[in-house]
Amino acid sequence: MLPGKSQEIILIVTLVGFLFNISWVMSPVKVKESHKGGNKNLQVFILAGQSNMAGNGGVHRQIENGVVTNLSWDGFVPQECKPNPKILRFNAAEKWERAHEPLNYGIDCLRACGLGPGMAFANEILKKDPEFGVIGLVPCAKGGTPLHKWRRGFSPYDSLIRRAKLAVKNGGTIRALFWYHGESDGKAKNTSSLYKKNLDNFFQDLRSDLHAPTLPIFEVIIPYPKEPFVGPYIEEVRAAQLGINLSNVIKIDAEGLELGPDGLHITTPAQVQLGQSNMAGQGGVSYGYWDGIVPIESQPNPDNILRFRVNTKWEIAHEPLNYGVDCLSNCGVGPGMAFANAILKKDPNFGVIGLVPCSRSGTGIHAWVPGNLPYEQLRKRVKISLRDGGTLRALLWYHGESDSRDKYTAKYYKSKFEKFVQDLRTELNSPLLPVVVAVLNYPKPPFVGEFVDVVRQAQFDIDLPNVIKVDAKGLPLNSDGIHLTTQGQVKL
C-alpha cells in the first residue's frame, strides 16, 4: 500500500490472453534449398545455455544423503511438444533428423534427458504461420557450464559455432539464438559480478563469428530459485541479464514459472509455457518492439490508479501495465489504464483503483484451471493484493484467439470458461464477482482463426450472473491481424 492512501483500494483484475508476436523473425527470407534431405526454406534456431535449455522437464532425481544417486525421465511429452514433419533437429552426429523429445539427447545427456522449451517454441511458430517453412533446431546447451566457458577457445562456445555453421552449410538461414543460462553463476560473487560483461561479449562474439551482426537473441531471464537450491547472487545475475543493451535482444522473464522439487529446474508445463511465451498488451508493438506512445486516455493518474507489480508490491500504475508479469522489453499498451481512467472520468469520487495484471500469453482456456500455473498465479496475486485491505470489484477478461484455431477447444470454450469463472468466484469467496468479457474481434490475414465464430458465440452464450459482454468486433488491428492497435485498446 502506498503511504497516505486509503485502505479502500478498488481492485480490477486485468487478463488479456494474446498470442506471442514473433513476426520479427517471421518476415519472408529466401534461402537456398538444402542438398541433404531436400529441406526447403530451412529456418534455423540455435538453442543454447545450461540445463534448463538442455531440458529437465519430467526428470526425477533420487537423492541420498544430499547426493543425486539416480536420474530418470518420466517420458511424458505434452501435445505442444509432439513431433512435426516441419521441425527438424541437428543431432549429435551433425545430421538432420525429425525433431523429437528429448531434444538435447546425445548433445549433453543420454539416459536422463528431459523436456526443454525448443519443441514448444517451434510448434508455436508453425501454429501461428503454417507457411513459415521448415524449422531446424540446433541444440547446443551444456548443463552446469558457467558463462566464462561460453567464449572462444572453450568447448561449449566452439561447439556451438561449429554446429551452427554446419547446420546451414547446405542451405538455410539462422533466424535466432534462444538462450537460457545463469543459475550456476548466481552461486558466487565473482561470477555474478562479471556476468553482464561476459554475456555482452558472448553475444557480440557469437554474432561476429556467425557473420550475423543483428542476429535476434531470445534471452531468458532466470527465475528466482527455491530450496534446496542456493543461489545468493541470483538477483545480481538477473539484473545483469536485464541490463543487456544490445539491438535485437528480446528478454523473456521466467520468474513465476513452476520449479521442480530441486528448486532449480522448471517443470514440463513450465517449459511449454516458456516455449510459447508472448506479450499481453500489444498496442504499439511492431516486430517485437513497442513504440513507446502512451495516449492521453492511458496516462498515469498518480493519486488514483495503482498497479500490483510482479514482486507483489503496489506502485503508481503506468504503461506497459503488464511489464514484468508476462513480458519485459516487448510489452505494449493494453486496455487496463484506459479502463481505469474512464471510470474516474465518469466518477471522480470512485476511489483509488488497483489494477492487478495477471495475463498469460498464448494460454488456451484449458490452462485456466485449478492446479495450472496461470490460474494459480491469478488466485495468489489477487489474494495477496487484498491482504492489507481493499475490495475486489471485477475481472476484466480478453481471451480466445488461440482457441479459435482448433475445433475441439472452440467447441468446449463455453463450458470451460463457465467452469473457470465458477472456480475463481469460489476460491475468492465472491460468488457474484462481476466479470467483464471482451468478445474477441474477427482477425485478419495473416492470422487464421478458422473457428472464431464458434468462440465468439460461446462468449456471447455465457450463462452466468454478473457477466457483462463487450464486443471487440471492428476495433482496429495491428498488421499481424490479431492484436489490437493502441487506439483499439483505448476504445476497448
mmCIF file of all heavy atoms in Angstrom, residues 6 24 47 116 130 140-141 191 218 258 301 361 383 385:
data_model
loop_
_atom_site.group_PDB
_atom_site.id
_atom_site.type_symbol
_atom_site.label_atom_id
_atom_site.label_comp_id
_atom_site.label_asym_id
_atom_site.label_seq_id
_atom_site.Cartn_x
_atom_site.Cartn_y
_atom_site.Cartn_z
ATOM 1 N N SER A 6 -5.892 5.544 1.001
ATOM 2 C CA SER A 6 -6.972 4.910 1.735
ATOM 3 C C SER A 6 -6.850 3.401 1.663
ATOM 4 O O SER A 6 -6.390 2.840 0.676
ATOM 5 C CB SER A 6 -8.310 5.343 1.129
ATOM 6 O OG SER A 6 -9.351 4.512 1.586
ATOM 7 N N TRP A 24 8.703 -10.607 -36.046
ATOM 8 C CA TRP A 24 10.022 -10.037 -36.372
ATOM 9 C C TRP A 24 11.035 -11.088 -36.756
ATOM 10 O O TRP A 24 12.061 -10.777 -37.343
ATOM 11 C CB TRP A 24 10.552 -9.203 -35.214
ATOM 12 C CG TRP A 24 10.746 -9.969 -33.969
ATOM 13 C CD1 TRP A 24 9.794 -10.399 -33.109
ATOM 14 C CD2 TRP A 24 11.987 -10.420 -33.434
ATOM 15 N NE1 TRP A 24 10.360 -11.083 -32.082
ATOM 16 C CE2 TRP A 24 11.699 -11.111 -32.247
ATOM 17 C CE3 TRP A 24 13.320 -10.306 -33.836
ATOM 18 C CZ2 TRP A 24 12.690 -11.684 -31.461
ATOM 19 C CZ3 TRP A 24 14.298 -10.874 -33.054
ATOM 20 C CH2 TRP A 24 13.971 -11.545 -31.883
ATOM 21 N N LEU A 47 19.669 -23.354 -29.957
ATOM 22 C CA LEU A 47 19.218 -23.474 -28.572
ATOM 23 C C LEU A 47 20.442 -23.698 -27.694
ATOM 24 O O LEU A 47 21.125 -24.711 -27.818
ATOM 25 C CB LEU A 47 18.244 -24.659 -28.422
ATOM 26 C CG LEU A 47 17.117 -24.745 -29.456
ATOM 27 C CD1 LEU A 47 16.308 -26.020 -29.244
ATOM 28 C CD2 LEU A 47 16.214 -23.523 -29.373
ATOM 29 N N GLY A 116 12.843 -29.559 -22.823
ATOM 30 C CA GLY A 116 13.213 -28.151 -22.809
ATOM 31 C C GLY A 116 12.148 -27.359 -23.545
ATOM 32 O O GLY A 116 11.096 -27.887 -23.914
ATOM 33 N N PRO A 130 1.588 -21.410 -40.606
ATOM 34 C CA PRO A 130 1.869 -22.734 -41.186
ATOM 35 C C PRO A 130 2.777 -22.680 -42.405
ATOM 36 O O PRO A 130 3.357 -23.693 -42.787
ATOM 37 C CB PRO A 130 0.472 -23.255 -41.557
ATOM 38 C CG PRO A 130 -0.478 -22.495 -40.685
ATOM 39 C CD PRO A 130 0.141 -21.133 -40.532
ATOM 40 N N CYS A 140 22.443 -26.933 -28.457
ATOM 41 C CA CYS A 140 23.862 -26.759 -28.116
ATOM 42 C C CYS A 140 24.057 -26.533 -26.619
ATOM 43 O O CYS A 140 25.143 -26.137 -26.187
ATOM 44 C CB CYS A 140 24.452 -25.563 -28.865
ATOM 45 S SG CYS A 140 24.365 -25.658 -30.667
ATOM 46 N N ALA A 141 23.018 -26.763 -25.813
ATOM 47 C CA ALA A 141 23.114 -26.462 -24.385
ATOM 48 C C ALA A 141 24.047 -27.423 -23.672
ATOM 49 O O ALA A 141 24.147 -28.596 -24.022
ATOM 50 C CB ALA A 141 21.721 -26.526 -23.752
ATOM 51 N N THR A 191 31.530 -14.564 -10.144
ATOM 52 C CA THR A 191 30.916 -14.864 -11.442
ATOM 53 C C THR A 191 29.707 -13.969 -11.699
ATOM 54 O O THR A 191 29.464 -13.539 -12.830
ATOM 55 C CB THR A 191 30.503 -16.336 -11.526
ATOM 56 O OG1 THR A 191 29.672 -16.673 -10.404
ATOM 57 C CG2 THR A 191 31.720 -17.234 -11.532
ATOM 58 N N PHE A 218 16.765 -14.420 -28.219
ATOM 59 C CA PHE A 218 15.780 -14.533 -27.153
ATOM 60 C C PHE A 218 16.540 -14.853 -25.869
ATOM 61 O O PHE A 218 17.094 -15.948 -25.721
ATOM 62 C CB PHE A 218 14.776 -15.661 -27.438
ATOM 63 C CG PHE A 218 13.850 -15.386 -28.584
ATOM 64 C CD1 PHE A 218 14.143 -15.827 -29.866
ATOM 65 C CD2 PHE A 218 12.673 -14.691 -28.388
ATOM 66 C CE1 PHE A 218 13.286 -15.590 -30.920
ATOM 67 C CE2 PHE A 218 11.810 -14.444 -29.437
ATOM 68 C CZ PHE A 218 12.114 -14.897 -30.704
ATOM 69 N N GLU A 258 6.821 -22.612 -12.957
ATOM 70 C CA GLU A 258 6.852 -23.659 -11.933
ATOM 71 C C GLU A 258 8.210 -24.363 -11.892
ATOM 72 O O GLU A 258 8.743 -24.763 -12.923
ATOM 73 C CB GLU A 258 5.757 -24.693 -12.216
ATOM 74 C CG GLU A 258 5.657 -25.784 -11.192
ATOM 75 C CD GLU A 258 4.606 -26.814 -11.539
ATOM 76 O OE1 GLU A 258 4.380 -27.059 -12.746
ATOM 77 O OE2 GLU A 258 4.013 -27.375 -10.606
ATOM 78 N N ASN A 301 -2.276 8.178 -13.446
ATOM 79 C CA ASN A 301 -3.044 9.023 -12.529
ATOM 80 C C ASN A 301 -2.481 8.723 -11.139
ATOM 81 O O ASN A 301 -2.963 7.834 -10.443
ATOM 82 C CB ASN A 301 -4.534 8.683 -12.606
ATOM 83 C CG ASN A 301 -5.401 9.600 -11.765
ATOM 84 O OD1 ASN A 301 -4.984 10.060 -10.706
ATOM 85 N ND2 ASN A 301 -6.617 9.849 -12.234
ATOM 86 N N SER A 361 0.180 -15.032 -21.793
ATOM 87 C CA SER A 361 0.017 -15.056 -23.225
ATOM 88 C C SER A 361 0.028 -16.465 -23.812
ATOM 89 O O SER A 361 0.667 -17.362 -23.297
ATOM 90 C CB SER A 361 1.142 -14.244 -23.845
ATOM 91 O OG SER A 361 2.347 -14.538 -23.195
ATOM 92 N N LYS A 383 -5.291 -12.618 -3.999
ATOM 93 C CA LYS A 383 -5.385 -12.731 -2.539
ATOM 94 C C LYS A 383 -4.326 -11.884 -1.836
ATOM 95 O O LYS A 383 -4.614 -11.237 -0.820
ATOM 96 C CB LYS A 383 -5.269 -14.202 -2.129
ATOM 97 C CG LYS A 383 -6.510 -15.020 -2.478
ATOM 98 C CD LYS A 383 -6.468 -16.401 -1.855
ATOM 99 C CE LYS A 383 -7.791 -17.136 -2.065
ATOM 100 N NZ LYS A 383 -7.797 -18.466 -1.407
ATOM 101 N N SER A 385 -2.948 -9.188 -3.038
ATOM 102 C CA SER A 385 -3.256 -7.765 -3.254
ATOM 103 C C SER A 385 -4.311 -7.253 -2.277
ATOM 104 O O SER A 385 -4.364 -6.058 -1.984
ATOM 105 C CB SER A 385 -3.736 -7.553 -4.692
ATOM 106 O OG SER A 385 -5.017 -8.117 -4.903
#
